[in-house]
Amino acid sequence: MAVPTYTVTCTRKTLLATGVYELVCTKPEGFIFKPGQFVLFDVPMLENPTDIQTRAFSIASTPAEGELLFVFKLIPGGRASKWVEHTVTEGTQIIMKGPFGNFTLDPAPEKELVCIATSTGIAPFRSQLLDALERGDLRKMDLIFGVRSEADLFWNKELEQIAEKHPNFFLHFALSQPSDAWKGHKGRVQTLVPLIVKDFTPKLIYACGSPVMTKEIKEMALGQWGMEKKMVHVEGYI
């Protein structure tokens, strides 16, 4: 079955944090996706626009929202990074294929959620958790969001507002290289999880971010945390 192709238009491009851009795009009529899925963008080479390759990006918006939301972390010399930074602007048309992926939340009401993200790995969790909460999911949900320093934080105000609105949603920040003024957790997300979760039996683990982080989380979950493989879901990116 052929994967649908759409043309979307960038309606807003915002620098959120150090090297992190948010893109808002039009949502094509008939485009249906599940929270946690991703799309492929046609990304032209900056030096040769006829040279096109696809790059995968998680959808950060919920199915109920009227536009599509994406977040990009710039990688020096990266094809998509140069494209986002130097080519994409308000009004840019983008070829998009999808949706793809099975990184979706288990709806089992008896299983509580522990979602672990580093940097732009937060994207699928914004879609998943906000969608679940707005639909009335009352399970306990912990979101652990790790970045390097205060300058790398983004969406924190919106996430804090979501936590204020939904008493079953708990937000935790982990900074690996914070300033002396930082009062929250200092260290990687891997070190924060066991401080929050005392009993892993009723938990489902979801981790998205750097491959090093997701690999370590999976190893810890299946090893020292004693979890079953089917309860652990990871999605790394480069």
Side-chain angles (χ1 to χ4, degrees):
M1 183 177 177
V3 177
T5 298
Y6 304 91
T7 299
V8 300
T9 302
C10 175
T11 58
R12 190 171 73 249
K13 171 184 164 183
T14 308
L15 184 64
L16 296 179
T18 303
V20 175
Y21 278 98
E22 175 186 87
L23 289 188
V24 178
C25 298
T26 55
K27 185 176 180 180
E29 185 175 347
F31 180 72
I32 299 173
F33 68 95
K34 296 177 182 178
Q37 289 191 303
F38 65 91
V39 296
L40 295 176
F41 282 157
D42 278 3
V43 179
M45 183 183 289
L46 188 64
E47 301 80 5
N48 178 16
T50 63
D51 182 335
I52 295 173
Q53 295 179 8
T54 57
R55 292 291 186 271
F57 293 96
S58 293
I59 305 169
S61 46
T62 70
E65 292 179 297
E67 294 181 298
L68 296 177
L69 177 65
F70 303 94
V71 63
F72 298 77
K73 184 172 179 60
L74 300 183
I75 299 172
R79 172 188 286 257
S81 296
K82 291 193 286 187
W83 174 66
V84 169
E85 189 170 20
H86 302 294
T87 301
V88 177
T89 186
E90 185 177 324
T92 299
Q93 292 196 317
I94 302 168
I95 304 298
M96 180 185 85
K97 299 180 181 68
F100 302 93
N102 299 305
F103 190 67
T104 54
L105 294 182
D106 187 327
E110 71 279 6
K111 289 295 182 181
E112 299 173 346
L113 304 174
V114 179
C115 300
I116 306 156
T118 52
S119 190
T120 51
I122 192 71
F125 295 132
R126 183 195 178 278
S127 179
Q128 292 171 339
L129 298 177
L130 185 56
D131 175 74
L133 291 166
E134 293 294 348
R135 288 189 293 101
D137 193 325
L138 297 177
R139 287 181 287 178
K140 183 181 181 185
M141 304 177 189
D142 284 289
L143 174 61
I144 302 171
F145 184 18
V147 294
R148 183 177 287 110
S149 69
E150 291 94 324
D152 301 299
L153 270 176
F154 59 93
W155 290 352
N156 44 309
K157 298 300 182 185
E158 180 189 16
L159 292 170
E160 288 166 354
Q161 290 172 357
I162 294 170
E164 290 175 5
K165 182 179 178 182
H166 299 278
N168 59 315
F169 174 63
F170 298 87
L171 178 62
H172 316 271
F173 295 112
L175 271 56
S176 59
Q177 297 176 27
S179 72
D180 293 338
W182 177 251
K183 301 302 182 185
H185 183 77
K186 299 177 181 180
R188 299 184 300 162
V189 291
Q190 296 92 311
T191 64
L192 181 52
V193 177
L195 299 179
I196 295 169
V197 182
K198 302 305 180 185
D199 180 8
F200 287 89
T201 306
K203 303 294 185 180
L204 290 167
I205 294 281
Y206 290 84
C208 184
S210 73
V212 172
M213 181 277 286
T214 55
K215 181 175 183 290
E216 287 188 17
I217 287 291
K218 188 172 184 179
E219 291 173 349
M220 294 169 76
L222 300 180
Q224 63 198 74
W225 299 343
M227 300 186 72
E228 296 181 63
K229 188 175 181 180
K230 65 181 180 179
M231 301 301 176
V232 183
H233 310 270
V234 302
E235 187 158 278
Y237 65 79
I238 298 173

